[in-house]
Amino acid sequence: MSDAESPAPTQPRDRHLFGPGRKAILSIDGGGVRGVIALGFLARLESLLSERAGAPSRLCDYFDLVGGTSTGAIVATGIALGISARDIRDFYMRLGPRIFHRPWLRLPGWQAKFDAEALRQEIISVFENRDLDSPDLQTGLGVMLKRIDKAGAWILTNNPRSKFWETPPDGAFIGNRHYKLTNLVRASTAAPSYFEPQEIAIVEGEPPALFVDGGLTPHNDPALALFLTAVIPAYHIVWPMGVENLSVFSVGTGGFRPATTLAECQKGGAIGVALRSLMQQIYENQSLTLSLMSWLGKGGAVWPINSEIGDLKEVNAPFGPLFNYRRYDVKLEADWLKDQLGVALAPDDIARLRRFDDPSVMPLLDEIGQKAAERQMSAADIAIL
């Protein structure tokens, strides 16, 4: 049966993915405890929608595909389940100190820094035993993973028309619909050296696949991957493009250039150089995503790409904008924070803010996220929703 001949959508998820009308994507970056910054933007967005509606509103009712990477996968799954951004924020403020607590009996370099089981239990407390096909998912959901045993970037969605949704008669693989949300989110957050890889069974009776943090794919900012998932025919969603049809809201967790020095490299040794290079690769991937999304879409605040390109406000793709684009983020840089938000911080405080595993800075991150949201978001932004 072709997509055009499929039965009329009945579940909320299917109405969002396959129903008529304008479509909207919500994308949430990875960033550990800095996910609190993203939640400041999401709470503000939720508040603006509620004010317009004159009643409490849920983001899952306005976005047709919600996706995230790493910490963003936790937030996106909560939103897709209909949980308010403010409730997810409260969960996060409790979550950080519980999971980023290093047991004393850990061998550096031989064991992960933190206890993955503690993270799993916290995720289970919210997502319970639901799978990717759960009717409790109120809208489309996308989670970014990196499979390391066979080297692949995965985006798993709750799209029932996707190629690997059903288990085939020959049992060649387990259908995506059966994957547990807890396992997918845990896999997306499994940052190497911080948490152990997540095992997920792909073929019944065979060794499980190994997954690590989705931020180690090109999609720590998953906006481009979500857009492609929604429009490439092979995914069988195929939304129409154009600013009159499609909007992409992308929310960051605080960006900065992860520079290093010769002294730091010498002190950290070969492993330190490798880790710093990996952080820089994530930063560069995000810069590329920002470049492409800014070029392909239009609207909203303008973010500079680099010192050579500047921003792409006056640069248009030859085929015209494919979607409305809204990018919200903060720069974890002293000058930017002071100029844009009136927050003056010492260099040591800036360094602590940039870590993704220091829960002690979560209240300050929360303050920064709320201030940035008040400054960057207005009622005009939600006119396209």
Side-chain angles (χ1 to χ4, degrees):
M1 180 181 293
S2 69
D3 295 344
E5 296 168 336
S6 298
T10 55
Q11 291 189 28
R13 169 203 68 191
D14 297 339
R15 290 197 295 271
H16 277 289
L17 290 177
F18 310 120
R22 294 169 62 174
K23 299 297 181 181
I25 294 170
L26 177 59
S27 169
I28 306 159
D29 289 11
V33 297
R34 300 202 314 267
V36 175
I37 292 176
L39 284 162
F41 287 109
L42 296 173
R44 169 70 171 162
L45 183 58
E46 195 174 66
S47 178
L48 290 170
L49 290 167
S50 297
E51 289 174 13
R52 185 179 71 178
S57 296
R58 303 182 304 174
L59 296 177
C60 67
D61 295 326
Y62 291 87
F63 289 95
D64 305 285
L65 178 60
V66 180
T69 301
S70 194
T71 195
I74 300 176
V75 177
T77 304
I79 289 171
L81 285 168
I83 304 173
S84 74
R86 294 194 180 279
D87 285 344
I88 299 173
R89 174 203 168 274
D90 292 343
F91 166 69
Y92 250 68
M93 298 303 283
R94 299 192 307 270
L95 177 72
R98 292 177 180 175
I99 66 169
F100 291 108
H101 171 72
R102 185 173 182 175
W104 68 271
L105 192 59
R106 290 267 168 177
L107 298 176
W110 292 96
Q111 291 177 293
K113 187 175 182 180
F114 301 109
D115 182 7
E117 185 57 28
L119 174 58
R120 170 185 292 281
Q121 292 304 317
E122 292 295 335
I123 295 172
I124 289 175
S125 72
V126 177
F127 302 150
E128 299 176 344
N129 198 40
R130 297 181 177 97
D131 54 37
L132 196 56
D133 193 26
S134 172
D136 294 334
L137 289 168
Q138 300 298 301
T139 189
L141 172 67
V143 177
M144 305 293 163
L145 317 172
K146 179 177 179 63
R147 183 175 178 181
I148 59 171
D149 60 307
K150 289 196 174 180
W154 284 30
I155 174 170
L156 285 173
T157 71
N158 62 339
N159 170 17
R161 296 180 183 173
S162 60
K163 181 176 181 179
F164 301 106
W165 185 249
E166 301 284 357
T167 303
D170 63 1
F173 57 85
I174 298 170
N176 290 354
R177 68 184 302 175
H178 301 294
Y179 293 164
K180 297 299 180 185
L181 292 179
T182 297
N183 288 342
L184 298 182
V185 171
R186 228 295 282 165
S188 187
T189 60
S193 84
Y194 289 88
F195 295 105
E196 297 292 344
Q198 175 65 35
E199 299 179 0
I200 297 179
I202 305 299
V203 181
E204 194 71 40
E206 293 191 7
L210 291 178
F211 291 88
V212 295
D213 197 303
L216 302 180
T217 71
H219 311 303
N220 193 60
D221 172 355
L224 179 63
L226 292 167
F227 164 67
L228 295 176
T229 298
V231 300
I232 289 178
Y235 292 113
H236 302 287
I237 298 177
V238 200
W239 288 344
M241 290 178 278
V243 293
E244 70 281 3
N245 296 314
L246 180 59
S247 299
V248 180
F249 282 61
S250 176
V251 182
T253 59
F256 62 94
R257 183 183 293 274
T260 190
T261 65
L262 175 60
E264 288 172 335
C265 289
Q266 290 174 336
K267 181 180 179 181
I271 292 178
V273 172
L275 289 174
R276 285 181 170 84
S277 299
L278 188 58
M279 292 299 296
Q280 291 177 359
Q281 184 64 58
I282 294 172
Y283 169 81
E284 289 153 9
N285 288 342
Q286 290 198 229
S287 295
L288 177 59
T289 296
L290 178 63
S291 300
L292 290 171
M293 295 300 289
S294 299
W295 184 60
L296 296 173
K298 288 300 170 189
V302 175
W303 292 89
I305 307 302
N306 57 40
S307 57
E308 182 172 11
I309 297 174
D311 62 60
L312 294 174
K313 182 178 180 180
E314 304 301 330
V315 181
N316 297 306
F319 39 74
L322 302 182
F323 46 81
N324 296 295
Y325 180 51
R326 302 288 186 270
R327 173 66 176 174
Y328 306 101
D329 202 359
V330 303
K331 290 187 176 182
L332 297 177
E333 300 169 356
D335 291 345
W336 191 95
L337 290 170
K338 185 176 180 180
D339 294 342
Q340 298 295 319
L341 306 181
V343 177
L345 296 173
D348 286 349
D349 293 324
I350 296 292
R352 290 173 59 231
L353 284 180
R354 292 177 173 184
R355 294 174 60 93
F356 67 80
D357 63 343
D358 184 356
S360 70
V361 297
M362 291 178 73
L364 180 55
L365 291 168
D366 185 39
E367 176 188 345
I368 288 171
Q370 291 186 49
K371 286 186 175 182
E374 288 286 340
R375 181 178 179 85
Q376 294 179 28
M377 283 185 169
S378 69
D381 290 345
I382 65 170
I384 56 178
L385 293 176

